[in-house]
Amino acid sequence: DTGVSQDPRHKITKRGQNVTFRCDPISEHNRLYWYRQTLGQGPEFLTYFQNEAQLEKSRLLSDRFSAERPKGSFSTLEIQRTEQGDSAMYLCASSFGLPTGELFFGEGSRLTVL
Amino acid sequence: AQSVAQPEDQVNVAEGNPLTVKCTYSVSGNPYLFWYVQYPNRGLQFLLKYITGDNLVKGSYGFEAEFNKSQTSFHLKKPSALVSDSALYFCAVRDEGRGKLIFGQGTTLQVKP
């Protein structure tokens, strides 16, 4: 299967620790997106990349969150000094670099902050 | 600013009956509209999209959606519901000149035998 893959699928951490999630997009796709989803809610946009350039970042996103896509392939999302409110499903998606293109989502990385 | 509204938290239909899941949007330019479905503990799956042209678009699993520019709506429809259609459905919009895709809050579809 050559879909979007995310790692780890589940992460349990203690408040104040740092966590990092990795996303490997579909290889032909040059856009990569990160979303956050809490139970029963719609995905909330965090940021997106076109190749290695981060083109947009949500203004609601705390400075504790940072994302990178150093070589225009895989991406990492790091959360520093985690808080209980960070507990959520973190979704990665990729697409071709066209505004008409649909996003293809991974299965997500579930974060639980104790 | 882009926004999407799904006015119904839940829609209940009987198997075999037609279903409609409502969606309205707001963008400053031309809208690109999408529907996704999410099954429990799974990622989102693309169903269909409207970019331009015919206002009625057809997608996966027998679903279709009707774009109405004057009402700024993009309702999801299916002529005959199946129990297996029970899931969480999300409408999403992208402004023509933007990259990010904005999602609605979702509508739970419950199809009863």
Side-chain angles (χ1 to χ4, degrees):
Chain A
D1 188 293
T2 56
V4 177
S5 63
Q6 294 187 243
D7 183 70
R9 293 292 311 279
H10 303 274
K11 179 70 176 180
I12 300 174
T13 191
K14 294 182 179 179
R15 185 168 54 92
Q17 298 295 304
N18 299 345
V19 297
T20 300
F21 300 112
R22 176 182 169 123
C23 173
D24 287 90
I26 294 171
S27 58
E28 312 90 82
H29 290 174
N30 55 10
R31 283 192 179 183
L32 187 148
Y33 297 76
W34 285 100
Y35 286 84
R36 177 171 60 191
Q37 185 179 26
T38 53
L39 191 63
Q41 299 298 309
E44 175 192 4
F45 172 79
L46 296 179
T47 189
Y48 89 96
F49 295 83
Q50 174 119 352
N51 300 314
E52 65 274 10
Q54 187 173 21
L55 296 188
E56 190 166 355
K57 182 177 177 180
S58 171
R59 285 173 288 179
L60 300 176
L61 201 60
S62 162
D63 289 344
R64 296 183 296 105
F65 287 71
S66 62
E68 294 183 340
R69 195 184 182 197
K71 297 183 179 180
S73 56
F74 74 92
S75 175
T76 58
L77 175 69
E78 182 183 18
I79 309 173
Q80 296 182 327
R81 305 181 302 282
T82 53
E83 302 173 356
Q84 288 187 327
D86 297 332
S87 296
M89 179 74 85
Y90 290 85
L91 300 173
C92 178
S94 67
S95 74
F96 291 107
L98 297 172
T100 57
E102 61 270 26
L103 274 58
F104 293 80
F105 282 83
E107 297 285 311
S109 293
R110 182 172 296 282
L111 173 65
T112 300
V113 182
L114 302 176
Chain B
Q2 306 163 239
S3 67
V4 179
Q6 294 181 241
E8 303 154 316
D9 289 335
Q10 183 159 328
V11 170
N12 298 307
V13 297
E15 188 174 31
N17 283 0
L19 69 88
T20 298
V21 182
K22 296 180 180 178
C23 170
T24 59
Y25 66 90
S26 175
V27 295
S28 56
N30 289 320
Y32 297 149
L33 294 154
F34 303 78
W35 276 101
Y36 284 81
V37 60
Q38 187 175 36
Y39 296 97
N41 300 313
R42 301 297 303 276
L44 278 74
Q45 297 177 31
F46 169 74
L47 281 179
L48 51 78
K49 65 182 177 182
Y50 171 83
I51 303 302
T52 187
D54 194 346
N55 289 343
L56 185 66
V57 293
K58 296 186 183 298
S60 306
Y61 312 119
F63 284 93
E64 57 191 27
E66 186 169 12
F67 171 65
N68 186 315
K69 188 173 183 177
S70 63
Q71 297 185 2
T72 61
S73 67
F74 188 56
H75 300 332
L76 181 70
K77 301 180 180 184
K78 187 173 183 181
S80 179
L82 300 173
V83 172
S84 57
D85 293 330
S86 298
L88 186 55
Y89 290 81
F90 293 100
C91 181
V93 67
R94 177 186 284 136
D95 198 321
E96 182 182 20
R98 305 290 299 277
K100 69 181 180 182
L101 190 62
I102 299 299
F103 286 82
Q105 291 301 297
T107 299
T108 298
L109 173 65
Q110 186 74 38
V111 181
K112 297 185 177 179

